Amino acid sequence: MSIRFELVSKRFEDREALGDISFMVEPGEFVFVTGHSGAGKSTLLKLLALIERPTAGIIEVFGERLSKIPRRQLARYRRQLGLVFQDHRLLMDRSAFENVALPLRLDGYSEEAIARRVPAALAQVGLGGRERAFPAQLSTGEQQRLGIARAVVAAPKLLLADEPTGNLDPQLAVEIMELFVSMKSQGTTVIVASHDVPLIQKIRRRTIVLERGTQIDDFRPEDAHA
């Protein structure tokens, strides 16, 4: 089932962050959301993660209307998601292994499966062999990659990434995006907020463009003829 926004608006006390946003995303699709700082990219992801609630409009995720999900069921809903935040939100008193293992433990994976999946996820983001390192021992870019490994390890139904490559060198940024694109094979829908125009142009996937909370474009460069 798809993701659907229908005339979605979000107003904070001093401003309207989003106004009348409408689009659909198909299962397994990869979509960029772009725009200048303050365009509403992070707010859109927070609505999908139920960190914020819309002021108006309808949001459906995989057949479930988000306005119908009560607070007591937030954890159940979010277990379907992989979340990559700008500030990493790592557990500083846990090793890299334990940070990545956390969503698997919450989902009830066996220790055997955890021991197999965690090193594989760390290797995918270039942190192979760093299982015992603590976040404080990692650079900012490595912490960002650790957060990405945690988000992808459980093969979530929906991956939401907010500026996931901001502290990474260009080549590694491309590799991370290619990892996200490849998640289609396991059925994961990916929505990435990014203002990195050269990276977006290189990856060539559907891009929703926001400007001051308004949707001004929705294009699919992979379908365009050279």
Side-chain angles (χ1 to χ4, degrees):
M1 295 183 212
S2 60
I3 294 168
R4 180 169 72 97
F5 272 55
E6 183 177 324
L7 297 175
V8 172
S9 298
K10 176 61 180 178
R11 173 170 285 279
F12 296 102
E13 286 187 8
D14 59 339
R15 64 187 177 91
E16 185 171 72
L18 293 172
D20 293 338
I21 304 295
S22 296
F23 62 85
M24 290 186 67
V25 177
E26 296 302 321
E29 193 172 1
F30 181 107
V31 181
F32 283 113
V33 179
T34 193
H36 296 298
S37 178
K41 305 184 298 295
S42 294
T43 298
L44 190 151
L45 295 192
K46 287 177 179 177
L47 292 175
L48 283 166
L50 275 178
I51 295 169
E52 299 283 355
R53 302 269 185 170
T55 305
I58 295 170
I59 304 174
E60 288 185 350
V61 177
F62 307 133
E64 191 167 18
R65 187 167 295 192
L66 298 195
S67 61
K68 303 292 187 183
I69 299 177
R71 185 176 297 274
R72 66 180 180 276
Q73 291 188 23
L74 287 180
R76 185 270 308 166
Y77 169 73
R78 288 181 184 145
R79 279 197 292 271
Q80 304 176 88
L81 312 181
L83 303 175
V84 180
F85 300 101
Q86 291 186 53
D87 59 359
H88 316 315
R89 302 192 188 183
L90 300 171
L91 301 175
M92 302 304 287
D93 62 341
R94 307 282 181 90
S95 67
F97 184 99
E98 288 303 325
N99 266 278
V100 176
L102 181 61
L104 300 177
R105 295 196 193 286
L106 292 174
D107 254 2
Y109 279 74
S110 69
E111 289 301 316
E112 181 182 358
I114 291 170
R116 183 176 67 251
R117 280 178 171 263
V118 171
L122 287 168
Q124 282 183 310
V125 299
L127 291 175
R130 303 300 303 276
E131 288 87 352
R132 295 183 180 181
F134 283 78
Q137 298 172 306
L138 302 175
S139 69
T140 300
E142 288 172 331
Q143 289 180 15
Q144 192 158 9
R145 285 185 271 156
L146 181 58
I148 291 168
R150 182 182 58 190
V152 304
V153 69
K157 290 176 67 176
L158 173 61
L159 176 68
L160 303 174
D162 193 359
E163 302 288 357
T165 59
N167 295 304
L168 306 182
D169 67 69
Q171 180 56 40
L172 185 56
V174 170
E175 291 174 9
I176 292 297
M177 285 302 166
E178 289 175 345
L179 167 63
F180 289 169
V181 170
S182 73
M183 293 178 71
K184 178 177 183 176
S185 65
Q186 58 197 29
T188 297
T189 303
V190 180
I191 301 179
V192 176
S194 177
H195 67 268
D196 188 339
V197 174
L199 178 63
I200 292 170
Q201 291 174 336
K202 187 168 290 188
I203 299 301
R204 294 181 60 81
R205 288 297 185 276
R206 180 184 175 190
T207 303
I208 294 171
V209 184
L210 302 179
E211 184 176 292
R212 297 180 182 178
T214 300
Q215 182 178 331
I216 63 170
D217 207 349
D218 183 350
F219 64 96
R220 292 171 169 81
E222 72 272 24
D223 294 335
H225 295 292

